[in-house]
Amino acid sequence: MQLKSRASGLSRAVLIVSILSLSIAAFVNRAAARPADLFSPYLEQIRQAIPPRAEMRLPSQILLGGLGGLDPNTLIVKVLPTATPPRLTISLFTCERGQFPCLVGSFAAELATSANAQRELSRHQAMVAPITLTEGVRGYLMEGSNQAPPSDFSSLMWQQDGMTYTVSFLAAERQNILDMARQMATAPPLKSLQIQ
């Protein structure tokens, strides 16, 4: 009987240590997550452009597959804030200017209370089934070919922590759009440097 009790106590201790180890590992991974290296030179500018009381999430990797081996680190980053409605868009381009459009994709954040954000999210929700991005966060991927009129770009929207996020990339990047949105949903947000 005493041997059984010791074995049971040891099993409980092993279980508790295992749970603690997994919790610590998850915390360390989340804390270590940071935006992709491409954004590093722009982080101060991005934080300055985030509207007051808002935040921005970015993926830890820029994933591209449908563009014939395009190196994400060669992309041009443009930080594009707007005042009405308060919104931050970070767009990625293959060129500064050119004869042909060279937008590859963008990441945007807007307060969830914005009428524009609510309207666009409702449009996504009405057209597609939800996709789980992380526990408690569901996104809506609208394929470019299903839009009216059809678009070369697909977009995925979701709400999280009082913000509405949009990831919009060329339609050929469908899986990468999902993967980058999942990275964003689990990443710690960048906070605004603007006085509230």
Side-chain angles (χ1 to χ4, degrees):
M1 190 69 155
Q2 204 172 33
L3 188 59
K4 254 187 182 179
S5 177
R6 282 188 187 165
S8 175
L10 184 60
S11 294
R12 253 186 268 139
V14 168
L15 178 63
I16 290 169
V17 169
S18 297
I19 290 170
L20 285 172
S21 296
L22 289 172
S23 298
I24 290 168
F27 177 77
V28 168
N29 284 342
R30 183 180 166 119
R34 60 187 180 114
D37 290 341
L38 174 68
F39 300 117
S40 293
Y42 304 94
L43 288 179
E44 184 75 14
Q45 181 185 1
I46 290 167
R47 291 185 67 214
Q48 288 286 352
I50 297 171
R53 299 179 317 281
E55 52 191 37
M56 180 68 173
R57 293 170 185 270
L58 292 170
S60 57
Q61 290 181 294
I62 301 299
L63 302 171
L64 298 172
L67 297 173
L70 181 64
D71 179 2
N73 293 315
T74 63
L75 295 174
I76 296 163
V77 175
K78 294 190 179 181
V79 179
L80 308 165
T82 57
T84 308
R87 176 184 172 99
L88 176 61
T89 303
I90 300 170
S91 295
L92 305 179
F93 296 84
T94 57
C95 62
E96 287 286 348
R97 288 191 198 103
Q99 186 175 5
F100 303 102
C102 55
L103 176 66
V104 174
S106 63
F107 307 97
E110 191 170 348
L111 289 170
T113 55
S114 159
N116 179 62
Q118 291 175 7
R119 182 176 52 254
E120 283 302 307
L121 182 62
S122 292
R123 192 167 70 91
H124 279 65
Q125 291 170 329
M127 292 186 67
V128 295
I131 298 165
T132 299
L133 300 179
T134 189
E135 187 177 335
V137 179
R138 295 162 64 155
Y140 301 85
L141 176 65
M142 189 183 306
E143 305 274 355
S145 59
N146 295 338
Q147 296 180 38
S151 172
D152 292 336
F153 287 81
S154 293
S155 60
L156 189 148
M157 293 187 77
W158 74 97
Q159 283 189 340
Q160 185 176 6
D161 300 330
M163 300 296 298
T164 300
Y165 292 97
T166 306
V167 177
S168 179
F169 272 76
L170 292 169
E173 300 293 344
R174 182 188 194 282
Q175 186 59 51
N176 289 329
I177 292 170
L178 290 168
D179 292 342
M180 288 188 286
R182 287 185 175 117
Q183 290 175 27
M184 292 169 68
T186 59
L190 299 170
K191 303 291 187 181
S192 175
L193 292 179
Q194 295 187 41
I195 297 171
Q196 300 183 20

